[in-house]
């Protein structure tokens, strides 16, 4: 016998299929949604549909946006000769939050991962190559994650781009600001040591 | 400047308003949803709407169900003289999963909490009283949570019902099966001691 009604079970299944939501959270969410007012529930469902319908990729940097060209690429005050390559829109948002980076971006929507079967053609590298051919880009700052996939992607792009005479840099890897050395993993400590600079 | 497009921001806000979903999870979920196929997104949105539209309270036990009377209350093999009182449908499901309880249920949809301003009239107690008047109930097993609110509710119901000559019992509180004594809080240890039984 099913413990919940068919409609509740279906909702729990749908929610549990989302990333980071286990079966217990899905149950809690489902009952919360059923307890919400009909207007709020419709609003939630419509917001989900609307986001999917209206959001597209920026024609230049591949970031998700409501318009053909995203606000960053449109901004005439940004330095168009520098492009930061990130894995996803959340990483772009993280750097925008610093308020200090003045260049443009390129969003790959993933990273190369032989383990997961993600190859160079599965991320938006072709679009990056096109920009490098057509635009006046002088420096490519690779800001992929400091993970195996992120490093692989960084190496791949670097090998591909350097022959064209474009400067390729990689963001530093090391101890986070305010981080307690004793709580930091060995790989990071070694990276911080390797990347030490003169005082 | 907004870091994300308006539609993404709205979706993140909606998701972050759900219980147990913080801002970071909401962002991750929003981007996951935007990356899903249009058909899957529509299915998710429709499942949410359908659950809200079609799920109602069982006329007898107040559990959430697709029909007027829920499958448990309809089942002719259940013992109709015993009713277990639980706070919410998830608690009912937890006892159903044991496969051993043969009586009926009553779902309060909450617990009395003076702190949160939840009084006896805010939970489905009136419906329970009506069942006690009209049905041939001999025992009420109070299975509200072992929290302050759950205990308050148990005491309240017990005082209300006992004068009518109905047997009122409370599920045992103590050390969970497989629990390591050293990891269990003092209140539970004291409860287990108080509730000790002869071997």
């Amino acid at each position: 016998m099913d413990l919940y009604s068919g409609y509740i079970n279906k909702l729990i299944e749908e929610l549990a299929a989302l990333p980071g939501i286990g079966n217990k959270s899905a149950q809690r969410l489902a009952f919360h949604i059923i307890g919400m007012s009909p207007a709020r529930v419709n609003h939630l469902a419509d917001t989900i549909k609307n986001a999917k319908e209206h959001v597209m990729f920026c024609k230049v940097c591949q970031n998700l946006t409501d318009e053909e060209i995203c606000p960053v690429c449109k901004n005439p005050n940004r330095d168009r000769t520098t492009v930061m390559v990130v894995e996803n829109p959340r990483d772009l948002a993280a750097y925008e939050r610093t308020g200090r980076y003045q260049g443009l971006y390129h969003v790959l929507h993933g990273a190369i991962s032989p383990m997961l079967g993600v190859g160079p053609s599965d991320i938006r590298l072709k679009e990056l190559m096109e920009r490098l051919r057509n635009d006046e880009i002088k420096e490519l700052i690779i800001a992929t994650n400091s993970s195996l996939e992120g490093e692989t992607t960084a190496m791949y792009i670097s090998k591909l781009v350097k022959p064209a005479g474009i400067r390729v840099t990689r963001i530093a890897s090391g101890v986070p600001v305010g981080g307690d050395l004793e709580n930091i993993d060995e790989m990071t400590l070694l990276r911080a040591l390797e990347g030490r600079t003169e005082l």
Side-chain angles (χ1 to χ4, degrees), chain A:
Chain A
M1 199 193 71
D2 264 343
L3 297 180
Y4 300 122
S5 98
Y7 288 102
I8 298 180
N9 270 334
K10 274 183 212 148
L11 181 55
I12 292 173
E13 267 170 39
E14 279 288 318
L15 295 171
L18 297 172
I21 298 194
N23 211 279
K24 285 226 165 176
S25 321
Q27 285 183 36
R28 206 179 324 119
L29 283 173
F31 286 113
H32 176 86
I33 287 169
I34 287 163
M36 280 165 30
S37 74
R40 289 269 300 114
V41 171
N42 281 331
H43 190 250
L44 171 63
D46 292 341
T47 306
I48 289 172
K49 286 188 182 181
N50 276 333
K52 177 68 192 174
E53 261 168 50
H54 295 284
V55 174
M56 54 192 123
F57 296 110
C58 169
K59 280 202 162 176
V60 179
C61 74
Q62 309 296 320
N63 188 19
L64 294 172
T65 165
D66 291 0
E67 304 147 87
E68 287 235 311
I69 313 275
C70 79
V72 174
C73 290
K74 249 190 213 160
N75 187 340
N77 298 322
R78 310 284 301 219
D79 167 15
R80 315 193 85 75
T81 65
T82 309
V83 170
M84 179 184 283
V85 179
V86 293
E87 292 187 20
N88 60 55
R90 277 168 289 151
D91 300 339
L92 183 159
Y95 259 102
E96 279 301 281
R97 251 180 250 122
T98 68
R100 299 283 281 277
Y101 177 66
Q102 290 301 317
L104 301 181
Y105 294 92
H106 189 86
V107 183
L108 295 173
H109 292 280
I112 297 169
S113 169
M115 289 271 288
L116 298 172
V118 181
S121 60
D122 298 317
I123 59 177
R124 291 174 188 250
L125 259 178
K126 206 180 63 203
E127 290 84 352
L128 177 62
M129 291 307 134
E130 216 154 291
R131 287 177 77 180
L132 291 175
R133 262 194 302 278
N134 303 329
D135 303 350
E136 20 136 31
I137 296 167
K138 291 191 182 131
E139 181 177 355
L140 212 57
I141 303 170
I142 313 211
T144 51
N145 286 333
S146 179
S147 61
L148 181 61
E149 292 78 15
E151 297 295 355
T152 307
T153 310
M155 288 303 294
Y156 186 92
I157 295 176
S158 159
K159 278 187 187 163
L160 208 64
V161 171
K162 265 189 168 169
I166 291 166
R167 187 177 172 211
V168 182
T169 56
R170 177 91 175 101
I171 55 166
S173 190
V175 176
V177 177
D180 232 347
L181 280 205
E182 63 175 6
N183 299 323
I184 289 167
D185 66 289
E186 290 154 40
M187 282 301 293
T188 304
L189 290 176
L190 288 174
R191 284 285 187 82
L193 185 62
E194 282 166 21
R196 66 192 181 279
T197 52
E198 297 289 341
L199 283 183

